[in-house]
Amino acid sequence: MNGATRKDLVGAGIALLLALGCVRLGIWQVHRLAQRKARNAAQLARWKLPALTIASRGLPADSADQRRVSSAGKWDYEHERLWRPRSWEGTPGVDLVTPLLLGDGSAVLVDRGWAASPDAYHVDEQAYREGDSGVVVGLALRAPRGRGDVDPARLADSLGVPLLPFVIQELPDSAHPAPRLLRWPLPAIDNGPHLSYAIQWFSFAIIITVGSIALFWRRNVRRPDVEGPGAAS
């Protein structure tokens, strides 16, 4: 074995640092996967709780968030909002978000479902009305971030009635389905790409380590000794 050159040692050190960095990123993805699984378990547990009955104001958003809920009241179509744009399987459309007036004079916004719209902006709202009153079964959700057009905190003054601090996403198994509206299903629960990312990072670490060892071996162990016997005739 010939003595390793400074260049070989520096290269081996850099490879080691890169491999350690890949291992660290792989461990980080494993931790992210564990966090994702914990959140998924908590969300599934909330979905399995008995449905809350929404009949009046006063229920905090934290208590209702991600809970199945039911409510009944009168539709306020005059203050209906369109959640724009929303696509379904690549088709442009909008969601119809309608206040449901409750018995105590307050209201809750209900995402009644999706309707196709060629420009993802306009739709014939009257064609999707479901009578004067409604019984809703759905999932209570916080208003989407940045969506002022369906945010209860921003719409309370324009409606003139107190609004509950969440939106009910009406589910497909609602007591009174609207044939022409598509009800959104429960959000998909999955573990995301963290496991595949972790495997990739660990694979990179192995490739870098094995490749560096092989290169070092070839350059410093198996390299021909040009000054050994037989090198000169």
Side-chain angles (χ1 to χ4, degrees):
M1 174 178 177
N2 294 288
T5 66
R6 178 183 178 86
K7 182 178 180 180
D8 292 334
L9 294 175
V10 171
I14 292 174
L16 177 61
L17 291 176
L18 288 174
L20 290 175
C22 290
V23 170
R24 180 67 186 88
L25 289 171
I27 293 173
W28 175 61
Q29 288 295 339
V30 170
H31 290 163
R32 292 285 304 276
L33 176 61
Q35 294 170 356
R36 181 75 169 257
K37 287 183 176 180
R39 288 197 302 269
N40 289 346
Q43 183 164 314
L44 286 172
R46 290 185 69 83
W47 288 354
K48 292 178 181 179
L49 292 173
L52 294 172
T53 299
I54 308 299
S56 62
R57 76 187 84 171
L59 184 65
D62 290 342
S63 299
D65 190 37
Q66 296 293 332
R67 286 285 301 272
R68 289 179 179 270
V69 298
S70 63
S71 189
K74 294 183 177 180
W75 294 115
D76 181 7
Y77 294 112
E78 296 303 318
H79 293 99
E80 187 168 73
R81 305 286 177 173
L82 297 181
W83 182 352
R84 315 176 174 102
R86 296 211 73 185
S87 63
W88 174 261
E89 296 182 346
T91 302
V94 298
D95 273 20
L96 284 78
V97 181
T98 312
L100 184 68
L101 301 176
L102 306 178
D104 69 341
S106 63
V108 59
L109 294 179
V110 178
D111 182 348
R112 296 194 292 120
W114 177 90
S117 169
D119 62 358
Y121 195 87
H122 298 93
V123 74
D124 182 5
E125 296 177 47
Q126 292 191 3
Y128 298 99
R129 293 186 175 182
E130 304 177 61
D132 295 333
S133 60
V135 176
V136 174
V137 176
L139 190 67
L141 301 172
R142 293 180 181 274
R145 183 176 300 177
R147 301 302 310 186
D149 48 352
V150 294
D151 186 347
R154 299 186 181 185
L155 294 177
D157 292 340
S158 63
L159 267 65
V161 297
L163 272 177
L164 274 68
F166 50 82
V167 178
I168 298 178
Q169 176 186 296
E170 199 163 359
L171 294 174
D173 59 350
S174 175
H176 298 287
R180 301 186 62 189
L181 281 175
L182 186 149
R183 312 286 197 200
W184 292 93
L186 287 171
I189 296 292
D190 59 56
N191 293 327
H194 303 299
L195 179 59
S196 62
Y197 287 166
I199 293 173
Q200 288 178 12
W201 285 118
F202 290 139
S203 299
F204 291 155
I206 293 172
I207 292 170
I208 293 171
T209 301
V210 173
S212 299
I213 291 174
L215 180 62
F216 190 87
W217 178 275
R218 185 170 61 251
R219 289 175 59 88
N220 296 282
V221 178
R222 301 185 60 185
R223 184 171 59 188
D225 190 349
V226 296
E227 296 180 357
S233 56

